[in-house]
């Protein structure tokens, strides 16, 4: 492959990396805005999140088109092929994160016109902070080809699982203590589950990124600490 061709190929790979960063930044902005809208009952902000999902879909299509064109023109091999195919898979996870942020935003009007009481919202707010920390870091670690950071980020998903379990139990307690909390807490439970699923998609991105960078798969037996679906102990 000539020097000019190599340079052009590297530029195309860098373009795909830039598209991934753009999608990651948009996904993080959508999640953050959806949570702010939920906790403040801001319908206008929620509608902007719903509208941003169209932009996310368009960016995924652009990345897919660029990756497929690169494969057809350059016929990459080994790590280069892993990078292109991995980018397509990561873009799919980022698009799903956008969908989940949109789902949270759509619940804003259902919660009601008054802002969610702080005693009901602080747990989900803290959970969102953990998710956003993971989401904002994963693509940067990939672009910088930092395999160790990707491995650590994947393991840190346990914190989100633990927080989700705590939020689940906390909201159930509020519902039992005061039936007037049932509507708001039910919607917050769905939103907390969406945040937990976003964390899982970030983990998928970290795993794909690690494989692209190292050519090795991380162990498949990653522990899940979400205890909300476990059977109750026998009495």
């Amino acid at each position: 492959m000539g020097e000019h061709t190599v340079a052009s190929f590297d530029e195309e790979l860098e373009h795909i990396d830039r598209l991934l960063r753009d999608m990651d930044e948009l996904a993080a902005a959508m999640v953050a805005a959806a949570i702010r809208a939920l906790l403040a009952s801001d319908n206008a902000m929620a509608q902007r999140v719903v509208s941003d999902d169209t932009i996310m879909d368009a960016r995924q299509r652009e990345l897919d088109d660029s990756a497929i064109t690169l494969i057809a023109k350059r016929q990459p091999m080994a790590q280069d092929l892993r990078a292109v195919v991995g980018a397509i898979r990561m873009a799919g996870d980022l698009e799903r994160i956008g969908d989940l942020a949109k789902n949270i935003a759509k619940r804003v009007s259902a919660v009601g016109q008054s802002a969610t009481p702080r005693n009901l919202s602080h747990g989900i707010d803290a959970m969102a902070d953990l998710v956003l920390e993971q989401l904002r870091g994963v693509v940067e670690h990939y672009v910088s080809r930092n395999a160790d950071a990707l491995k650590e980020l994947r393991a840190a998903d346990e914190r989100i699982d633990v927080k989700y379990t705590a939020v689940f139990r906390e909201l159930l307690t509020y519902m039992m203590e005061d039936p007037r909390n049932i509507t708001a807490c039910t919607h917050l439970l769905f939103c907390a589950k969406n945040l937990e699923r976003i964390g899982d998609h970030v983990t998928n991105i970290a795993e794909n990124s690690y494989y692209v960078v190292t050519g090795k798969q991380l162990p498949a037996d990653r522990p899940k600490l979400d205890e909300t679906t476990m059977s109750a102990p026998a009495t």
Side-chain angles (χ1 to χ4, degrees), residues 6 11 13 30 55 57 67 84 91 97 128 138 155 175 177 187 189 197 201-202 209:
V6 170
E11 289 170 1
L13 282 178
M30 289 176 69
I55 300 173
D57 292 343
V84 179
I97 290 171
V138 66
M175 293 165 75
E177 288 177 348
H187 290 295
L189 281 171
R197 291 173 64 196
H201 282 289
V202 174
S209 299

Side-chain angles (χ1 to χ4, degrees), residues 25-35 48-54 56 97-99 101-102 105 132:
E25 289 171 3
L26 178 58
M30 289 176 69
V31 172
I35 294 299
R48 287 195 293 274
V49 174
V50 173
S51 298
D52 282 345
D53 189 55
T54 303
M56 178 66 81
I97 290 171
D99 286 342
K102 179 179 68 174
L132 285 167

